[in-house]
Amino acid sequence: ESRAPPEKIAIVGAGIGGTSAAYYLRQKFGKDVKIDVFEREVVGGRLATLSVQGHDYEAGGSVIHPLNLHMKRFVKDLGLSTIPASGGLMGVYNGENLVFEESSWFIINMIKLVWRYGFQSLRMHMWVEDVLDKFMRIYRYQSHDYAFSSVEKLLHAIGGDDYLVLVNQTLQENLQKAGFSEKFLSEMIAPIMRINFGQSTDLNAFVGAVSMTAADSNLWAVEGGNKVVCSRLIQASKANLISGSVLSVEDKTKTKQRGNPTKMYEVVYKSGSETKSDFYDIVLVATPLSQKIANIAFLNFDPPIEEFHQNYQQIVTTFVKGELNSTLFSSRAKDQFGLSTVLITDNSDMFINSLGIVNSVKGKEHPPPSTDGTQVWKTFSREILTKEQITTLFLSYDYAVRKPWLAYPYYTPPEKCPPILLHDQLYYLNGIESAASAMEMSAIAGYNAALLAYHRWNGHTHMIDQDNLYEKLKSEL
Ligand SMILES: Cc1cc2nc3c(=O)[nH]c(=O)nc-3n(C[C@H](O)[C@H](O)[C@H](O)COP(=O)(O)OP(=O)(O)OC[C@H]3O[C@@H](n4cnc5c(N)ncnc54)[C@H](O)[C@@H]3O)c2cc1C
Ligand SMILES: CC(C)=CCC/C(C)=C/CC/C(C)=C/CSC[C@H](N)C(=O)O
């Protein structure tokens, strides 16, 4: 028996976390509940494009794994199309030379890897497969409507104690214990961590595994830009998008029309030059609760809502349309360079984290391949690149554009993930980023928060934090 649905739900943030929550909240609570999504900047959040000479390129979250089933489902449900997001050859630069270069021949590649690293590349693949295999359990739990009240409980339900060890250990520690060599860690693993999370192997082993899956070859993206998923989710969930910055959420008692005094949340927000407010039964916060990012005050809560010190790192995305100075990396003639991604080791003293050729969000043929040797390159760096640095990297360039992000947490395991449940009907989605930040992780958090809110509203305690779910669902089949 379910009680009457809530009248109004607020979601703060229209990134993939907030918009997927809106989508699932609508499915669970039905058509009558009013859902307001507050966004102070642009729908999509860290999914955004930048334009280079009239063509758009992914500047934030760009690649999606073939087993990211929520993102896959959104694309299907929302009638969107996909484009391949990986391809081309990769090389690893150590500050002096390329220590590894991929070959376009699979067999040659394998021989090169075995020659330099023995069978560690294959073992690494198996290690990642093992983490990913367990990860897939979350989809079964969520399709059966099970919810979790903390990130730790969610991770434990997926991968048991092994998963908690992963988030509490550095990738370095974990892989050293598993017998991987220093050479393999510094030449292969650290550069992958650096391109994906701007860090070395000192991040937690779970986000390390997520980062390794992003080295898969069948990655994809949404045609037109990944951010389109967010705007379409808002439309599909029939939520109201409110353009404004949420300033505070206050725990208040309100007497509704013809009713008893009820506990509600007053959301105060600034829209243009006006400050407005409204009351909600349920509030979901779908943005990192760091002062530098969201800056939301929680008023009148007893006990008070603590501040979370999730430290988000700056990553600058820069697109340059130009001709690469390939002699910086290799003595080969520039028309023989052949690499489309350069990963960089930690000891290289390079001012960038990575460099790669990118395709526009319309796919490979847009714009048509250039004939003058220029390409659109994307770099990630900690700091904004100076003109000198750009001219070191490029022999010539026509155009450069950049976007600095507070991109993802700076990982310092052991990780204590912030709570999901901040108050009776107040939920926080982005604590999951302390385990790993990725589009799919936010979509999982959005679905989980929607299910948790629904079950807590209706008193379905048996659907929350169930032990032994994997065994239980196995025997149900
Ligand atoms: C450079 C970069 C590359 C990445 N690459 C990948 C990738 O290839 N694949 C992948 O899976 N992931 C990638 N990620 C990570 C991924 O983009 C994020 O994990 C994901 O987009 C986070 O979504 P979110 O909805 O949780 O948060 P956000 O997208 O940050 O959404 C939060 C929203 O809340 C809004 N907001 C904040 N405060 C307020 C307020 N007070 N009032 C109203 N609105 C507010 C913000 O404007 C924002 O739009 C990348 C991230 C970056 C930065
Ligand atoms: C959650 C699971 C199982 C998989 C997600 C894998 C994935 C696609 C992770 C990407 C994480 C991330 C923050 C990447 C940043 S850089 C991406 C890309 N290399 C680029 O150059 O833009």
Side-chain angles (χ1 to χ4, degrees):
E1 287 298 307
S2 295
R3 80 193 241 215
E7 281 172 27
K8 285 173 81 177
I9 302 178
I11 299 173
V12 186
I16 189 66
T19 56
S20 57
Y23 187 69
Y24 291 119
L25 281 166
R26 173 66 68 213
Q27 290 186 357
K28 294 312 300 172
F29 282 114
K31 63 178 177 33
D32 292 331
V33 58
K34 184 167 186 275
I35 303 174
D36 287 344
V37 180
F38 292 90
E39 175 52 59
R40 66 161 184 216
E41 286 175 24
V42 188
V43 171
R46 277 172 279 168
L47 306 186
T49 52
L50 278 180
S51 173
V52 177
Q53 298 185 326
H55 299 276
D56 293 336
Y57 297 83
E58 294 289 1
S62 56
V63 297
I64 304 171
H65 191 272
L67 291 176
N68 286 172
L69 299 190
H70 288 319
M71 291 304 292
K72 239 172 133 169
R73 179 179 167 196
F74 293 151
V75 164
K76 184 165 173 274
D77 287 3
L78 302 168
L80 297 169
S81 304
T82 63
I83 51 173
S86 45
L89 301 178
M90 174 278 285
V92 181
Y93 178 66
N94 72 353
E96 286 172 9
N97 47 42
L98 291 165
V99 288
F100 184 82
E101 281 184 76
E102 259 183 345
S103 158
S104 46
W105 295 87
F106 178 78
I107 189 73
I108 306 235
N109 227 5
M110 286 298 129
I111 293 169
K112 276 179 143 187
L113 281 168
V114 173
W115 183 258
R116 196 163 175 91
Y117 308 110
F119 287 97
Q120 301 201 53
S121 174
L122 192 66
R123 279 188 55 217
M124 190 70 246
H125 190 72
M126 286 157 64
W127 184 84
V128 176
E129 284 291 296
D130 188 46
V131 177
L132 194 56
D133 236 31
K134 290 187 179 137
F135 187 82
M136 301 311 285
R137 294 177 186 173
I138 188 64
Y139 300 113
R140 169 148 342 151
Y141 303 161
Q142 294 195 320
S143 70
H144 281 78
D145 269 9
Y146 287 101
F148 303 92
S149 65
S150 76
V151 175
E152 278 85 359
K153 284 181 179 151
L154 183 148
L155 290 174
H156 191 267
I158 303 177
D161 291 343
D162 290 355
Y163 256 44
L164 296 182
V165 169
L166 289 179
V167 289
N168 287 315
Q169 224 175 30
T170 66
L171 181 66
Q172 174 94 6
E173 246 177 297
N174 192 295
L175 296 184
Q176 272 172 345
K177 275 192 195 144
F180 289 93
S181 73
E182 284 305 320
K183 185 172 169 179
F184 184 68
L185 290 183
S186 65
E187 291 184 4
M188 275 288 147
I189 307 304
I192 294 176
M193 300 307 127
R194 187 173 163 124
I195 182 174
N196 288 330
F197 287 100
Q199 247 183 283
S200 185
T201 47
D202 55 346
L203 40 57
N204 79 63
F206 179 73
V207 70
V210 166
S211 174
M212 236 94 79
T213 67
D216 196 286
S217 53
N218 294 313
L219 304 171
W220 56 279
V222 179
E223 188 176 18
N226 295 326
K227 65 180 179 185
V228 177
V229 174
C230 302
S231 42
R232 291 287 186 86
L233 284 172
I234 294 186
Q235 275 173 18
S237 59
K238 296 197 167 59
N240 313 301
L241 178 64
I242 299 179
S243 191
S245 183
V246 170
L247 306 175
S248 64
V249 179
E250 184 167 356
D251 187 17
K252 277 206 166 167
T253 303
K254 184 165 184 276
T255 308
K256 290 187 185 176
Q257 280 174 343
R258 295 190 308 265
N260 297 324
T262 330
K263 283 294 225 181
M264 291 191 88
Y265 300 109
E266 184 179 23
V267 172
V268 177
Y269 60 100
K270 200 165 167 82
S271 184
S273 56
E274 279 184 273
T275 302
K276 301 179 181 174
S277 78
D278 211 340
F279 283 87
Y280 295 90
D281 301 289
I282 298 174
V283 176
L284 271 64
V285 178
T287 172
L289 271 179
S290 119
Q291 234 184 4
K292 281 192 193 154
I293 301 178
N295 202 15
I296 300 169
F298 292 97
L299 308 174
N300 203 23
F301 285 91
D302 185 19
I305 289 171
E306 59 176 306
E307 257 193 48
F308 309 117
H309 300 284
Q310 268 181 309
N311 187 13
Y312 276 64
Q313 48 175 319
Q314 171 170 285
I315 295 289
V316 184
T317 308
T318 309
F319 292 103
V320 178
K321 168 108 190 311
E323 189 179 3
L324 185 72
N325 179 9
S326 62
T327 57
L328 205 61
F329 307 103
S330 148
S331 55
R332 276 203 307 268
K334 59 183 183 184
D335 56 338
Q336 300 290 306
F337 183 61
L339 298 181
S340 51
T341 303
V342 181
L343 303 187
I344 291 165
T345 62
D346 290 332
N347 55 351
S348 67
D349 281 340
M350 275 296 271
F351 46 86
I352 53 168
N353 289 348
S354 62
L355 182 68
I357 296 174
V358 283
N359 295 320
S360 92
V361 297
K362 289 205 171 147
K364 226 177 160 60
E365 298 310 314
H366 296 268
S370 74
T371 48
D372 58 0
T374 65
Q375 305 270 11
V376 178
W377 292 85
K378 174 162 86 170
T379 74
F380 288 136
S381 55
R382 287 201 174 163
E383 303 299 332
I384 288 175
L385 297 182
T386 61
K387 204 164 176 210
E388 272 172 3
Q389 288 171 329
I390 297 180
T391 48
T392 307
L393 289 174
F394 294 92
L395 295 172
S396 62
Y397 72 97
D398 308 330
Y399 188 82
V401 62
R402 64 166 183 247
K403 182 159 178 68
W405 297 99
L406 281 173
Y408 16 67
Y410 185 81
Y411 293 98
T412 51
E415 309 284 1
K416 188 172 177 327
C417 303
I420 296 175
L421 196 58
L422 298 182
H423 190 248
D424 189 28
Q425 298 294 340
L426 175 61
Y427 302 90
Y428 177 42
L429 276 62
N430 290 70
I432 203 159
E433 288 189 76
S434 295
S437 176
M439 287 175 241
E440 187 72 4
M441 297 301 288
S442 287
I444 287 171
Y447 197 178
N448 181 62
L451 290 170
L452 188 62
Y454 177 74
H455 294 318
R456 285 178 55 81
W457 183 262
N458 290 304
H460 300 161
T461 48
H462 61 289
M463 297 304 289
I464 301 169
D465 297 336
Q466 275 286 325
D467 267 346
N468 281 330
L469 257 190
Y470 180 64
E471 295 303 323
K472 209 172 275 177
L473 291 178
K474 216 161 62 175
S475 61
E476 245 178 48
L477 274 179

